[in-house]
Amino acid sequence: MEADEEALAAAQQPERTGFLPIQTNLFDRFFISIVVWIALALFWMRFLEASLPLWIANVIALVVAILIIRKG
């Protein structure tokens, strides 16, 4: 009887929604943020590194990664 009540309570809880268009868990969001970090670094090295150092891209990628992991 308790298992039925717990299942019903879990089903009634609103699902966590973020800004990512897919359902994710913590590992998924971590993986997505690593892929974004690598893509940003490659883009930066190809087009912007001559004028701006790579550490700026890393700071931007870190902020984006934190945002994806916490709010995604």
Side-chain angles (χ1 to χ4, degrees):
M1 197 61 141
E2 286 182 30
D4 291 337
E5 292 172 2
E6 290 175 8
L8 183 61
Q12 290 176 348
Q13 290 178 348
E15 217 175 271
R16 181 186 176 277
T17 57
F19 61 86
L20 293 174
I22 57 174
Q23 223 176 11
T24 59
N25 59 22
L26 180 63
F27 178 77
D28 294 334
R29 294 188 303 270
F30 183 72
F31 182 78
I32 290 168
S33 54
I34 288 174
V35 170
V36 169
W37 194 316
I38 292 169
L40 180 64
L42 290 173
F43 175 82
W44 199 276
M45 286 188 285
R46 174 64 177 101
F47 296 109
L48 300 172
E49 193 175 21
S51 58
L52 297 169
L54 187 59
W55 66 267
I56 296 173
N58 286 333
V59 170
I60 294 170
L62 180 64
V63 171
V64 170
I66 292 171
L67 181 69
I68 288 173
I69 291 171
R70 297 188 100 204
K71 304 285 183 180

